[in-house]
């Protein structure tokens, strides 16, 4: 955030369209405390696009999709990074900043994709498909990344797969992302059976019903959705790509087939666009609150640590991705 000493009182105007005035006093005290603690501790807050608007618009210093958070984590000069997002994002920030303190406000902020695969699973896939490179979605533990050749995000998966110059890759663990990328490339993709518990719940029928109820609506879907859902959408892309699409195309009516806070956060910048809001909540992202961000800074918790030997290998996979 820029400007001189913002406070909860001056920040409300940023979110007044998505947070009722009557709710604001609940947030104000924590916001002022977090702004003070960031200065005292030389800390920055990195927030994913699925964080609630009072976090995203009022206390975060850097916001974005998984790829942007990884890239920008490398440029951080502060001593402390608070990751307002899920655990794999905090691990990625730590991999790229081994000397800094990285805090995650709630250790339970996991991810169904990260939980769907273990390092042993990756080793077994390598045995089954000898010599085939392993492309691992960033939505995985550092231990799984350490077994991989290169990472990818939903924002660069096609480019990463094609950068390897091979006819066949193993792409873990999101089956739907793998299928959606396979539809865009000649590279053969061997997938795993992991799914995002938020995006797997959308159906093609949902989209058809939306189009009937809201004529002319532009449908943007995240590529973690099943391929049949992506096929019904006008565009599929990472959370940042969806946000960029709205800014570039300025559709009169739009629906974001993804997590609920996306529409809240993006709509703030486009008062003339009508956002249709069926969505699914990510229970992991929603574990992060102003209260536990404040506690994280006050009590220096929860410090993210990664075994150093494993971190070297996992960092390599992330750095290879960032070089693509
Ligand atoms: P993005 O990289 O598109 O922000 O996605 C992260 C995520 O967890 C989506 O469910
Ligand atoms: Fe994981 Fe899905 Fe939540 Fe993203 S939305 S953090 S992929 S469970």
């Amino acid at each position: 955030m820029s400007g001189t000493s913002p406070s909860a009182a001056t920040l409300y105007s940023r979110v007044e369209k998505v947070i009722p005035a009557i709710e604001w006093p609940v947030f104000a005290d924590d916001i002022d405390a977090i702004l003070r603690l960031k200065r005292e501790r030389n800390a920055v807050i990195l927030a994913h696009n699925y964080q609630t608007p009072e976090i995203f618009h009022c206390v975060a210093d850097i916001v974005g999709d998984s790829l942007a958070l990884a890239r920008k984590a490398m440029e951080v000069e502060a001593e402390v990074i608070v990751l307002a997002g899920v655990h794999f994002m905090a691990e990625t920030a730590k991999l790229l900043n081994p000397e800094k303190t990285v805090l995650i406000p709630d250790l339970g902020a996991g991810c169904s994709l990260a939980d769907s695969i273990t390092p042993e699973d990756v080793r077994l896939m390598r045995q089954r498909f000898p010599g085939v490179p392993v492309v691992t979605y960033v939505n995985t533990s550092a231990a799984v990344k350490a077994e991989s050749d290169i990472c990818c995000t939903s924002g660069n998966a096609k480019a990463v797969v094609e950068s390897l110059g091979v006819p066949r890759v193993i792409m873990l663990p999101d089956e739907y992302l793998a299928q959606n990328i396979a539809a865009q490339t000649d590279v053969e993709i061997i997938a795993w059976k992991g799914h995002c518990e938020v995006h797997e719940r959308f159906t093609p029928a949902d989209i058809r019903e939306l189009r009937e109820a809201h004529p002319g609506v532009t449908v943007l879907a995240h590529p973690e959705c099943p391929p049949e859902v992506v096929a019904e959408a006008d565009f599929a892309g990472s959370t940042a790509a969806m946000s960029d699409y709205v800014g570039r195309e300025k559709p009169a009516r739009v629906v974001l087939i993804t997590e609920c806070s996306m529409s809240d956060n993006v709509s703030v910048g486009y008062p003339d666009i009508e956002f249709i809001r069926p969505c699914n909540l990510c229970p992991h992202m929603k574990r992060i609150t102003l209260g536990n961000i404040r506690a994280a800074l006050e009590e220096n918790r929860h410090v993210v640590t990664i075994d150093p030997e494993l971190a070297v290998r996992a960092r390599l996979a992330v750095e290879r991705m960032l070089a693509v």
Side-chain angles (χ1 to χ4, degrees):
M1 282 181 304
S2 60
T4 50
S5 301
S7 67
T10 57
L11 289 169
Y12 181 61
S13 62
R14 293 188 186 182
V15 289
E16 62 188 357
K17 295 201 173 57
V18 286
I19 299 180
I22 196 161
E23 286 180 21
W24 193 241
V26 176
F27 299 131
D29 183 48
D30 282 335
I31 289 176
D32 284 329
I34 290 167
L35 297 176
R36 172 180 52 76
L37 285 159
K38 283 200 298 180
R39 287 192 298 273
E40 287 172 7
R41 294 215 50 200
N42 188 15
V44 290
I45 298 178
L46 270 59
H48 184 260
N49 289 329
Y50 294 162
Q51 292 297 293
T52 48
E54 68 280 6
I55 295 173
F56 187 90
H57 286 291
C58 300
V59 298
D61 300 278
I62 295 170
V63 296
D65 66 354
S66 317
L67 182 59
L69 293 182
R71 280 198 198 291
K72 291 176 186 169
M74 287 201 305
E75 294 159 20
V76 165
E77 283 176 7
E79 287 164 51
V80 178
I81 296 174
V82 180
L83 202 301
V86 292
H87 194 260
F88 75 80
M89 296 176 179
E91 279 193 331
T92 304
K94 180 66 183 174
L95 287 174
L96 296 168
N97 289 281
E99 278 87 46
K100 295 192 197 300
T101 300
V102 176
L103 304 175
I104 177 110
D106 187 320
L107 278 173
C111 170
S112 65
L113 281 168
D115 288 347
S116 75
I117 190 154
T118 65
E120 179 60 12
D121 293 330
V122 185
R123 289 193 286 272
L124 288 172
M125 286 297 270
R126 281 198 191 276
Q127 275 173 25
R128 198 165 151 208
F129 301 100
V132 180
V134 175
V135 177
T136 294
Y137 198 28
V138 284
N139 296 40
T140 45
S141 65
V144 164
K145 289 183 177 75
E147 297 295 331
S148 314
D149 294 291
I150 187 166
C151 288
C152 74
T153 74
S154 59
N156 63 10
K158 180 172 181 275
V160 166
V161 163
E162 294 184 344
S163 75
L164 298 173
V166 293
R168 204 154 75 129
V169 303
I170 297 167
M171 194 172 161
L172 310 167
D174 187 345
E175 181 181 31
Y176 296 147
L177 178 70
Q179 290 171 344
N180 287 321
I181 297 302
Q184 302 168 30
T185 179
D186 292 335
V187 180
E188 185 194 337
I189 295 183
I190 301 161
W192 185 251
K193 284 272 180 211
H195 298 141
C196 162
E197 68 187 87
V198 174
H199 292 95
E200 70 175 350
R201 304 210 312 267
F202 292 108
T203 67
D206 291 339
I207 312 245
R208 289 194 288 272
E209 282 162 25
L210 274 164
R211 289 200 192 275
E212 236 178 271
H214 306 279
V217 68
T218 297
V219 179
L220 311 185
H222 195 278
E224 289 170 7
C225 293
E228 313 82 72
V229 171
V230 167
E232 296 276 345
D234 298 298
F235 172 83
S238 76
T239 56
M242 285 193 265
S243 181
D244 290 348
Y245 183 103
V246 172
R248 191 175 63 243
E249 304 292 335
K250 302 212 171 40
R253 273 182 159 179
V254 69
V255 59
L256 307 182
I257 302 298
T258 190
E259 213 274 342
C260 300
S261 291
M262 266 295 286
S263 287
D264 288 342
N265 290 332
V266 179
S267 68
V268 161
Y270 305 101
D272 298 334
I273 296 179
E274 182 190 0
F275 285 77
I276 313 293
R277 288 170 193 261
C279 58
N280 290 326
L281 276 173
C282 173
H284 311 289
M285 289 280 179
K286 263 50 221 186
R287 279 178 173 264
I288 308 300
T289 63
L290 287 175
N292 58 28
I293 292 174
R294 176 179 181 167
L297 284 164
E298 279 171 344
E299 297 165 31
N300 201 44
R301 70 175 200 204
H302 301 274
V303 177
V304 177
T305 55
I306 305 173
D307 171 76
E309 182 275 327
L310 182 155
V312 169
R313 291 183 289 128
R315 180 160 56 243
L316 203 59
V318 175
E319 283 174 348
R320 283 195 187 122
M321 167 186 86
L322 294 173
V324 169

